[in-house]
Amino acid sequence: MKVQILGMGHSLPDRILNNQELEQMVDTSHEWIVERTGILERRIADKDMATSDLCWQAAKIALERSGTEANELDLIIVGTSSPDMLFPSTACIVQDRLGAGKAAAFDVEAGCTGFVYALGIAEKFLLSPEYKKILVIGADLCSRFTDYTDRNTCVLFGDGAGAAVIGKGNSGPGILSTYLGADGSGARHLYMPAGGSALPPSKETLEQRLHFIRMDGNEIFRFATKIVVKVSEKLLTGAGLSYQDVDLFVPHQANLRIIKTAMKRMRIPKEKTLINLDYFGNMSAACIPVGLSMAEEAGKLKNGDLVLMVAFGAGLSYGGILLRWGRD
Ligand code: UT7
């Protein structure tokens, strides 16, 4: 038995925030942003939207493309760090909206690694005969927690959602190996200080702008360049494959320099690397599923292609999935 992606979908807000607009908001320049990050523009959700809205739109497409009815779903997992509310889970809101009454539903909080974690967890559920079809979503409205007075972070993030319906296949295509990890000692390098049980919202937390992303970019950069290669090596070695076998490398889209460093170390060429941060920025958990969904739409993925996904983010969390694209 192989766990296969049966269909994918994505949803992006219409509103574009480009570098020139950011130049009017903080002390930055289009040249600096492009040179240091590779980002040209990002999508920002309208005020009346929530993460569940983008999840629902992406999920509808994934269900249709996989030929799945919502009431066939056994489980919905949403990887997100920007849930509609602290509770209930965004997955429960999506379950109700889709009419997926049979499905259990929960969120996974693994920062930018959210989709990879959710997919890795879903794969394990499918090993049980009781679970046949699972909806896995990676979605984030990063703009809701981005401080647009902080030039260190506001140039990086965007909003989006990507969804995959996964199920069981007989042989051939499907997940070959998964690897999930974390290093909690780096938790303070990327976090939102207030709004949780440690520091509930108060007049003081609002005044001190503690409800926004805080990041030590250099620490994350150092961590990312090492971990992407480590995860990739682990996945490929485990499956008895090498970098040359990879048809599409799908890294988390945090910074073009991180991606280029990994490509160089792993000797994976540009034509085999998915890059979408130029037009969407860092959409956190949505980067990888949006990228895969768009690559499939563009006809860039063939049956049997070897896809290597690797993500890292708040936690610090990290993980990857190696799979043969397609279904039988
Ligand atoms: O999804 C996971 C989460 N995030 C990441 O993975 C992010 C990883 N880190 C990065 O992508 C990079 O570290 C950044 C893009 C955040 C920063 O790039 P950098 O090349 O590492 O810049 P830096 O932090 O070393 O700062 C260099 C200079 C500083 O000025 P001084 O102190 O040298 O005068 C910064 O204040 O660049 C300044 N700077 C900016 N200048 C113009 C920082 N942000 C900006 C900006 N525009 N937006």
Side-chain angles (χ1 to χ4, degrees), residues 177-314:
S177 51
T178 61
Y179 176 46
L180 307 178
D183 175 7
S185 70
R188 286 293 167 123
H189 297 323
L190 178 53
Y191 73 125
M192 193 173 88
S197 61
L199 206 51
S202 67
K203 192 165 161 281
E204 289 73 33
T205 62
L206 283 172
E207 279 168 3
Q208 292 165 33
R209 305 186 76 75
L210 298 178
H211 296 272
F212 293 117
I213 298 165
R214 292 276 175 97
M215 184 178 73
D216 183 335
N218 293 317
E219 285 285 351
I220 304 289
F221 196 98
R222 267 194 291 279
F223 169 74
T225 46
K226 282 195 210 115
I227 209 69
V228 173
V229 179
K230 183 182 156 187
V231 171
S232 302
E233 254 170 34
K234 185 122 183 150
L235 289 170
L236 286 162
T237 314
L241 295 162
S242 71
Y243 293 128
Q244 285 92 322
D245 297 312
V246 174
D247 295 297
L248 192 65
F249 171 43
V250 189
H252 173 52
Q253 308 283 311
N255 188 314
L256 188 57
R257 290 185 292 134
I258 296 174
I259 298 175
K260 282 188 168 166
T261 305
M263 283 161 58
K264 202 169 155 196
R265 287 191 191 160
M266 291 160 32
R267 294 206 196 90
I268 295 184
K270 198 174 167 214
E271 21 342 322
K272 290 188 171 181
T273 304
L274 190 147
I275 294 168
N276 65 5
L277 57 66
D278 37 3
Y279 289 100
F280 305 113
N282 181 350
M283 298 178 285
S284 185
C287 290
I288 288 180
V290 168
L292 284 174
S293 174
M294 291 182 97
E296 188 181 35
E297 272 182 7
K300 287 184 190 153
L301 278 165
K302 298 186 305 296
N303 243 17
D305 276 355
L306 187 68
V307 178
L308 170 65
M309 314 170 207
V310 185
F312 55 87

Side-chain angles (χ1 to χ4, degrees), residues 37-304:
T37 73
I39 301 167
L40 303 170
E41 55 186 51
R42 58 297 282 146
R43 300 297 179 95
I44 304 295
D46 288 340
K47 284 204 164 59
D48 59 355
M49 281 201 110
T51 299
S52 63
D53 294 313
L54 288 188
C55 288
W56 175 73
Q57 287 166 1
K60 293 279 282 182
I61 300 167
L63 285 169
E64 198 188 313
R65 290 188 179 157
S66 65
T68 306
E69 296 294 334
N71 60 19
E72 285 178 65
L73 292 173
D74 301 302
L75 176 62
I76 299 173
I77 311 179
V78 177
T80 187
S81 323
S82 44
D84 286 19
M85 293 162 256
L86 216 49
F87 62 88
S89 69
T90 300
C92 281
I93 297 167
V94 174
Q95 185 247 30
D96 176 52
R97 207 152 157 211
L98 288 173
K102 196 176 87 171
F106 63 87
D107 288 357
V108 168
E109 217 289 40
C112 301
T113 323
F115 179 77
V116 167
Y117 259 64
L119 189 53
I121 294 166
E123 187 212 7
K124 306 293 177 261
F125 270 92
L126 284 176
L127 298 176
S128 147
E130 289 146 47
Y131 291 84
K132 294 191 174 59
K133 286 196 178 181
I134 301 180
L135 172 65
V136 180
I137 304 175
D140 270 306
L141 259 61
C142 300
S143 63
R144 298 298 190 259
F145 306 108
T146 297
D147 184 349
Y148 288 97
T149 66
D150 174 14
R151 70 176 183 173
N152 292 299
T153 52
C154 75
V155 301
L156 303 173
F157 297 101
D159 301 337
V165 174
I166 67 167
K168 299 176 196 196
N170 296 319
S171 58
I175 294 180
L176 302 177
S177 51
T178 61
Y179 176 46
L180 307 178
D183 175 7
S185 70
R188 286 293 167 123
H189 297 323
L190 178 53
Y191 73 125
M192 193 173 88
S197 61
L199 206 51
S202 67
K203 192 165 161 281
E204 289 73 33
T205 62
L206 283 172
E207 279 168 3
Q208 292 165 33
R209 305 186 76 75
L210 298 178
H211 296 272
F212 293 117
I213 298 165
R214 292 276 175 97
M215 184 178 73
D216 183 335
N218 293 317
E219 285 285 351
I220 304 289
F221 196 98
R222 267 194 291 279
F223 169 74
T225 46
K226 282 195 210 115
I227 209 69
V228 173
V229 179
K230 183 182 156 187
V231 171
S232 302
E233 254 170 34
K234 185 122 183 150
L235 289 170
L236 286 162
T237 314
L241 295 162
S242 71
Y243 293 128
Q244 285 92 322
D245 297 312
V246 174
D247 295 297
L248 192 65
F249 171 43
V250 189
H252 173 52
Q253 308 283 311
N255 188 314
L256 188 57
R257 290 185 292 134
I258 296 174
I259 298 175
K260 282 188 168 166
T261 305
M263 283 161 58
K264 202 169 155 196
R265 287 191 191 160
M266 291 160 32
R267 294 206 196 90
I268 295 184
K270 198 174 167 214
E271 21 342 322
K272 290 188 171 181
T273 304
L274 190 147
I275 294 168
N276 65 5
L277 57 66
D278 37 3
Y279 289 100
F280 305 113
N282 181 350
M283 298 178 285
S284 185
C287 290
I288 288 180
V290 168
L292 284 174
S293 174
M294 291 182 97
E296 188 181 35
E297 272 182 7
K300 287 184 190 153
L301 278 165
K302 298 186 305 296
N303 243 17

